[in-house]
Amino acid sequence: MYYGADYYPEHWPEERWDDDARMMQAAGFNVVRMAEFAWTRMEPREREFNFAWLDRAIELLARYGISSVLGTPTAAPPAWIMAAHPDATLIREDRQPVTYGSRRNYCPNNAAYRAHSARIVRAMAEHYAGNPDVIGWQIDNEFGGRCYCPTCQAAFQRWLQERYGSLGALNAAWGTEFWSHIYTAWEQIPLPWSTTGVHNPGLALNYRRFMSDSYVGYQREQIDILHEVCPGVPITHNLMGFRYPNLDYFDLTEDLDWVSWDNYPRIRGVPDAANRALAHDTMRGLKNKPFWVMEEQGGPTGNATVALAPRPGEIPYWAWEAVAHGADGIVYFRWRTARFGAEEYWHGILDHHGEPGRRYEEVKAMGRIVQRLGDKLKDSAVRAQTAMLLSYDSRFAFQNQPHNPHLDYPNVFAELYRALWKLNAGVDIVSPAADLSAYKVVVAPMLYIVDEALANKLRDYVSQGGALVLTCRTGVMDVDNMVVDQQLPGLLGELCGVVVDEYDSLEDGRTVPLQWAEDLEDVAGGATAWADVLSLREAEALAYYAGEYYAGVPAVTRNRVGKGQVIYAGTVPDAAVAQSLMARLAVEAGVTSPLEAEPGLEVVERIAEKARYLFILNGGSDAISVDVGSGGQELVQDETVSGVIHIPALGVRIIEQPLGNSAID
Ligand code: GAL
């Protein structure tokens, strides 16, 4: 396992570095990430490179057993580059340039910027090629943002030309007949700049796809250089978890060797374990491989304002939780709180003064256990019996037409995830292209855009025995964001065995009570946000609306197809419905938790070749007991356990069992 911090030696006097490295070693660190914002330090003037300081930092850390991941510094362009290329500045939707003064202020399609970026990446790669202490690269930092500049417009037009071939095809696919938007030359096609109303949905969706592709392409340019010059050194990018809305993370991570992401549970509001788990599962699902947390919250967050400090025990708890969900690397942000700059209140493990304190001691205590674990967990995979299908196309389309404030794709997704997560049976977050056959239950919320291939896959999955859960706003659009010409749920109508006769957008937080079928009386809760008024074809009703003008009409249905079943919820089930429904479905579909645990305990299983690791996590504020049967070797306390054990508040236990021993099953 890798364990360490994001380190900015350039922010501190060189005489201090040795103390830092010594304290890092004492905390069990074996890795740092460095340099991702140090472009001007490395290239103060064009083609004048200075890596000497970074060489010294890498070498010093290596003497303490600490390897380095280097970031390419392109997220924060030097003033001298942006002054020389004003047209490389990111342009906002209102066509105003962003002001120099923060970061992520460049256009990803600007040729001059890309040339500068290629130069610094190549120079770094050439300088560090073959250096055994540089064990990985991070490209840029938290890609994101959309640019609306003339360069992007021209690139968008070329991108469309490739996609559609002819203007005739594009006009037909977008329905530009509407309001006389028929394009007679590619150059006429605008970006979705702020205008007097909603843009053509085809244009809006494709612009989002194009922008995502722009970052994928820009990232690939950097990857190609690094692979060419430093073959075999793995490359990552630090992503922003499930909630980041603007990039198709499946596409972005395809070219990467491993996924990493930045986890800040206590930025605002109350930290939510299900949301953290969803983010980890999403990041793991991108490549279906172990991942790293490249920035794990190490102190109170804040820039202009300061958030609540992580409570005692939370920092290591969040880190273990990441490990349970498949992380093989934990890198805290940041080692020491900066004394200057926009983030001087975004705290690290050490405070500004640099003396060890509570947070350092907590990180160090975990470091000892991590050291003892060594490579035990390496290459072990989280075993998930259920999956959720994440469609960035559908998500992007809703950004243009959100329907209603309570019908938010990520929130609906997260609430259904919570219901699955509570089963303690593992959830994989997968793309529409994924093979679903291994999952007992698949939930695909608000699958707005569906093509034939996806419809066929879902049909096969169900007929071969899968349990599929769909919600309202499924099968509404074709791939160009044009409404289908069938009754809804469109291409999935036959599979669902229902027809949506009409629908009702429940604004202002209005809910409609549901009346459950006889054998489902224990299911509680109601319909929120949206109400599909359903007619049954082959399906049976599980719940009826008990209010509004459609009282008595089916709201939630089940269709048995082949060996499987599909549940269609023509609404957004509230949390109570989602949880009781999912619990019942789990029983029917044979979904089992590796351990019978009280609510409040999270159980995750990681499977390696010769052993399995059962993580039991207590994120609450009281101790909870659990019966672990014949148990096994517990790795956090380093003792053999069996029978009833007590997990303290914010406690984690990892039970190792040689494979073949099914005592806990
Ligand atoms: C992350 C970013 C870091 C740092 C941190 C704290 O999003 O990658 O560079 O800015 O947040 O604000």
Side-chain angles (χ1 to χ4, degrees), residues 12-51:
W12 306 100
E14 201 161 331
E15 309 82 72
R16 163 74 194 199
W17 296 358
D18 197 75
D19 286 347
D20 286 336
R22 193 178 30 77
M23 284 166 68
M24 287 182 191
Q25 185 189 47
F29 286 8
N30 55 11
V31 74
V32 292
R33 179 197 62 181
M34 296 195 288
E36 84 280 9
F37 293 116
W39 194 338
T40 314
R41 224 348 135 132
M42 294 186 283
E43 191 184 16
R45 274 164 293 279
E46 189 164 341
R47 286 174 213 288
E48 193 183 309
F49 297 109
N50 171 17
F51 296 115

Side-chain angles (χ1 to χ4, degrees), residues 491-604:
L491 289 175
L492 296 173
E494 213 183 297
L495 180 65
C496 295
V498 294
V499 165
V500 179
D501 290 327
E502 58 171 302
Y503 43 70
D504 192 17
S505 179
L506 303 171
E507 285 177 320
D508 308 321
R510 187 194 280 256
T511 60
V512 185
L514 292 174
Q515 171 75 49
W516 290 86
E518 253 171 41
D519 63 329
L520 289 166
E521 269 157 359
D522 55 325
V523 180
T528 69
W530 192 269
D532 278 343
V533 178
L534 300 175
S535 279
L536 302 177
R537 293 293 188 264
E538 295 78 22
E540 56 176 319
L542 299 183
Y544 301 86
Y545 295 108
E548 298 296 345
Y549 66 92
Y550 33 86
V553 168
V556 183
T557 63
R558 172 180 28 217
N559 197 25
R560 296 196 187 272
V561 178
K563 296 186 205 136
Q565 58 174 305
V566 48
I567 306 269
Y568 183 85
T571 180
V572 176
D574 67 13
V577 173
Q579 281 166 36
S580 45
L581 206 59
M582 228 56 104
R584 277 179 157 261
L585 192 61
V587 174
E588 273 191 53
V591 172
T592 50
S593 165
L595 196 64
E596 277 303 314
E598 301 257 329
L601 283 186
E602 184 177 356
V603 181
V604 190

Side-chain angles (χ1 to χ4, degrees), residues 37 103 141-142 238 262 264 295 333 343 346:
F37 293 116
R103 59 179 177 178
N141 188 83
E142 295 187 339
N238 57 333
D262 301 342
Y264 293 100
E295 298 181 13
F333 187 88
E343 296 190 346
W346 199 287

